[in-house]
Amino acid sequence: MLGTIRGRILATCVAIVVTALAVTGGLIYYVVKIHNDEIIDQNFQSILTGHALAIDGWIESRTRETQALADTISIGDGDPLPALKLLAKSGGFEIMTLGLPDKTAFSNVPLAPGYDPTARPWYKQAVEAGHIVVTALYRDASSGKPAFAFAVPIVRDGNVKAVMAASLFMQSVSEIVTAVHPTPASFAFLVDEKGEVIASAKTDLIMKPATDMAPELTPEALKAMQGASSSTAVHIDGAAKLLRAQPIKGTDWSLVLALDKSDVTAGMRAVATTTLVAIILVALISAALVGTLTNAAFKRILLVRDALTDVASGSGDLARRLPVSGDDEASQIAHAFNLFAEKISEILRHIRDFSESVNVASAEIAQGNQDLSSRTELAASNLQRTAAALEEISGTARNSADAATQVSQLAESASSVAMRGGQVVGDVVSTMDAITKASTEIANIIGVIDGIAFQTNILALNAAVEAARASEHGRGFAVVAGEVRALAQRSAQAAKEIKQLISSSVERIETGSSLVQTAGATMDEIVEGVRGITNVIGEISVAATEQSTGLGQVNQALAQLDNTTQQNAALVEQSAAAAQMLREQAAKLAEAVGEFKLSA
């Protein structure tokens, strides 16, 4: 429902009416509730005060009666029992008891054996107070029922001669309290200063703490209720109660009135229910009225909706015009639709004309792009073949440069080897020269050895001559001289052979030295030649490297040119595809515009 404007208007109107009624009803309810609460509180206080005053009067009258009866009692002048019975009947008391200090007791009812009046609470309270008192609740010794007494001390000549107690069972007081019920579910009860219930419609609560009714009813809370300016809400037996307390004069009692909250607020609930029913009825009536009033206006708006739906379908009749009558919002919307349809018709006519021109131009662009794409692809193919050939040439140049580099390295290695050979040959020549010099020195030494052998031989001959002269005495010396001579001859022979060998070695060493010198000169020439070859090969290697680098740069340039050509070919293909798409879209646009019905 809220999805339509009519539904939102209807909901808004109803919401405004409901809100206004709710606010008005709420304010009325609030004012009435305040006034009602004040009246309830005043009545509550009045009822409580009235009943408390009634109990006060009852207590006061009973007190005066008891005091008057006590004044008529004579102590020590006969049996007081007849007088007690007469007083009980005339005063309406259940039990009349007279207690003497000597523990003697007189009563209009039979007393238990060994009854001691001085031990009873009423006796002690009266003696302690020195005047008439209303005693606290106690259980009667003879009947066991809850009771209280008006106890008055009988004083003669300034001394307490006896205490008289006019007792009443709490049942009589409970009847007075039970009669207090301003509403059917309301009730009252009496409590003492200790918080114990002394009179209530529920007799099982008598002489029990008030907290048994509700945990909140503590002695402090009950005492605070006596001076409170407003009532206290407490749940008793699952029902909400409004409580107020009023003290009873002459006693420690308090009269507590529990007013049922449901009873006192029944009128306010009726007001709230009536207001809610009235709001619902007014809302329904206002919804019906607003719906009826908006139905006629929205019929013409629905005509505009149908016309717009027809146009939005893509095949609508833009020559259609809506009737315009009056000057309300629906007529203004119809007039605006007519202007919109006329403007759209004019725009679509222009679009139809433009789409035809775009269709023709896009066809021409697509044809030109296709031709350009073919030529670009051919140029790209030629560039690829050229790049491949240059790549092969570049590879060959790199191989040649590598081979020249290796040859240059080998030439340098051979030059190094030749130079080392030249150095070795030089060392050999130097060694041969040293050997030649050593051979010469050895030959000289051998000549010396030969001269020594010659001299030794001569000396041996001389020794032999002298030994021959000595005859027998020189025979041994002759033998030695013969041996020395023989050794000298062998030394001379050996020195001669060594000299011949050394002479032959010196000749051969001189020949080898000349050959080695020739080899050293030849090795120097080889080294010079290898150095020249190395320089030429180095120049070839540098030239091959530069050629390989140049071919690489040319190949890179061709690769970039090929990449650029490929990109151009791709762009041309994209341009051709875009032109074809533009042509197709122009055709679709012309077709879409052609679906509308336009005026001539």
Side-chain angles (χ1 to χ4, degrees):
M1 179 180 177
L2 295 178
T4 63
I5 297 176
R6 181 186 179 188
R8 288 195 289 270
I9 292 174
L10 183 60
T12 302
C13 293
V14 173
I16 292 172
V17 172
V18 171
T19 304
L21 291 175
V23 171
T24 304
L27 292 174
I28 294 173
Y29 180 82
Y30 177 73
V31 173
V32 172
K33 183 178 182 302
I34 292 176
H35 183 66
N36 187 63
D37 290 343
E38 292 177 354
I39 293 175
I40 290 173
D41 193 61
Q42 292 174 1
N43 293 335
F44 194 0
Q45 186 64 40
S46 299
I47 293 170
L48 178 63
T49 303
H51 288 288
L53 288 173
I55 296 175
D56 287 343
W58 183 79
I59 293 293
E60 186 178 357
S61 64
R62 291 293 177 144
T63 301
R64 287 197 301 268
E65 291 177 0
T66 304
Q67 186 65 53
L69 293 173
D71 292 340
T72 61
I73 294 292
S74 61
I75 305 300
D77 297 334
D79 186 8
L81 186 58
L84 291 176
K85 291 181 179 180
L86 179 62
L87 293 174
K89 290 181 179 180
S90 61
F93 297 102
E94 280 84 359
I95 302 173
M96 292 293 296
T97 305
L98 181 67
L100 302 179
D102 60 359
K103 300 184 181 180
T104 303
F106 301 93
S107 177
N108 63 334
V109 296
L111 298 174
Y115 181 82
D116 182 7
T118 59
R120 301 301 295 168
W122 51 266
Y123 189 95
K124 294 178 180 180
Q125 292 178 24
V127 172
E128 183 180 357
H131 57 79
I132 189 170
V133 297
V134 179
T135 66
L137 194 64
Y138 64 90
R139 292 195 178 275
D140 182 61
S142 58
S143 64
K145 295 179 180 180
F148 72 97
F150 294 90
V152 55
I154 299 174
V155 181
R156 299 290 185 265
D157 299 328
N159 296 318
V160 177
K161 299 296 183 179
V163 175
M164 187 185 72
S167 301
L168 290 171
F169 293 130
M170 286 306 301
Q171 182 178 359
S172 59
V173 181
S174 296
E175 292 174 355
I176 299 173
V177 175
T178 303
V180 180
H181 51 84
T183 65
S186 301
F187 61 92
F189 58 93
L190 280 174
V191 293
D192 59 11
E193 63 181 1
K194 297 179 182 179
E196 292 184 354
V197 179
I198 59 177
S200 173
K202 297 181 178 180
T203 57
D204 57 336
L205 293 176
I206 295 176
M207 297 190 74
K208 291 184 179 179
T211 53
D212 289 354
M213 286 192 293
E216 298 90 342
L217 298 179
T218 60
E220 294 78 10
L222 292 169
K223 188 174 182 180
M225 290 180 190
Q226 296 178 7
S229 59
S230 60
S231 58
T232 303
V234 177
H235 281 80
I236 299 176
D237 295 334
K241 308 291 183 181
L242 300 176
L243 271 63
R244 275 183 177 274
Q246 183 77 22
I248 304 301
K249 294 180 181 180
T251 66
D252 62 352
W253 301 350
S254 296
L255 177 63
V256 181
L257 180 59
L259 197 62
D260 188 75
K261 191 173 183 180
S262 178
D263 290 345
V264 298
T265 58
M268 294 306 302
R269 288 200 302 274
V271 171
T273 303
T274 304
T275 303
L276 181 61
V277 172
I279 290 173
I280 294 173
L281 291 176
V282 173
L284 294 175
I285 294 172
S286 61
L289 290 175
V290 172
T292 302
L293 293 174
T294 57
N295 188 31
F298 273 92
K299 282 185 178 180
R300 290 184 291 168
I301 295 177
L302 294 177
L303 292 176
V304 178
R305 181 200 64 184
D306 296 338
L308 288 173
T309 303
D310 185 35
V311 172
S313 64
S315 60
D317 186 4
L318 292 177
R320 177 184 178 183
R321 297 295 181 266
L322 297 177
V324 178
S325 60
D327 197 22
D328 57 0
E329 287 79 1
S331 299
Q332 293 175 4
I333 293 173
H335 179 66
F337 172 78
N338 294 337
L339 294 177
F340 167 75
E342 184 176 353
K343 186 65 176 178
I344 290 297
S345 298
E346 184 178 355
I347 292 172
L348 290 177
R349 281 195 295 269
H350 290 298
I351 291 174
R352 181 181 294 174
D353 297 336
F354 292 155
S355 62
E356 293 177 358
S357 300
V358 170
N359 193 9
V360 174
S362 60
E364 293 177 355
I365 293 172
Q367 185 62 38
N369 283 331
Q370 289 178 357
D371 296 339
L372 179 59
S373 176
S374 300
R375 291 193 295 271
T376 305
E377 290 177 356
L378 181 60
S381 177
N382 293 330
L383 282 174
Q384 288 179 350
R385 289 196 294 271
T386 304
L390 284 174
E391 179 66 25
E392 293 178 359
I393 295 172
S394 177
T396 304
R398 283 196 297 271
N399 294 332
S400 299
D402 294 339
T405 301
Q406 293 177 359
V407 171
S408 176
Q409 292 175 354
L410 292 174
E412 289 178 357
S413 178
S415 176
S416 298
V417 171
M419 291 175 66
R420 289 197 299 272
Q423 291 176 359
V424 171
V425 170
D427 293 338
V428 171
V429 171
S430 298
T431 304
M432 294 299 291
D433 291 338
I435 292 172
T436 302
K437 293 178 180 179
S439 299
T440 304
E441 292 177 358
I442 291 171
N444 294 330
I445 292 170
I446 293 301
V448 172
I449 293 172
D450 190 18
I452 291 171
F454 180 73
Q455 293 294 329
T456 301
N457 189 20
I458 292 174
L459 289 175
L461 288 175
N462 290 329
V465 171
E466 291 297 328
R469 287 178 182 176
S471 159
E472 290 296 331
H473 295 285
R475 186 176 293 174
F477 186 73
V479 173
V480 173
E483 292 293 331
V484 171
R485 183 179 179 187
L487 288 173
Q489 289 177 351
R490 285 198 297 272
S491 297
Q493 182 65 30
K496 185 177 181 180
E497 292 177 356
I498 290 170
K499 184 176 181 180
Q500 290 177 354
L501 291 173
I502 289 173
S503 297
S504 177
S505 297
V506 168
E507 291 177 356
R508 292 178 179 175
I509 287 170
E510 288 178 352
T511 302
S513 177
S514 62
L515 292 175
V516 168
Q517 288 179 354
T518 303
T522 304
M523 188 62 69
D524 291 337
E525 292 178 357
I526 291 170
V527 169
E528 290 299 328
V530 170
R531 285 179 179 174
I533 292 170
T534 301
N535 292 331
V536 174
I537 291 174
E539 292 177 357
I540 292 172
S541 177
V542 170
T545 302
E546 292 178 354
Q547 183 182 7
S548 176
T549 303
L551 287 173
Q553 292 177 354
V554 171
N555 191 17
Q556 183 178 1
L558 283 175
Q560 292 178 353
L561 180 60
D562 179 60
N563 188 19
T564 302
T565 304
Q566 294 290 343
Q567 292 178 355
N568 291 336
L571 289 176
V572 168
E573 291 179 356
Q574 293 177 359
S575 178
Q580 183 63 28
M581 185 180 296
L582 178 62
R583 181 180 182 183
E584 294 175 356
Q585 290 178 352
K588 292 180 179 179
L589 178 61
E591 183 180 357
V593 173
E595 291 182 356
F596 288 97
K597 298 177 183 179
L598 305 177
S599 60

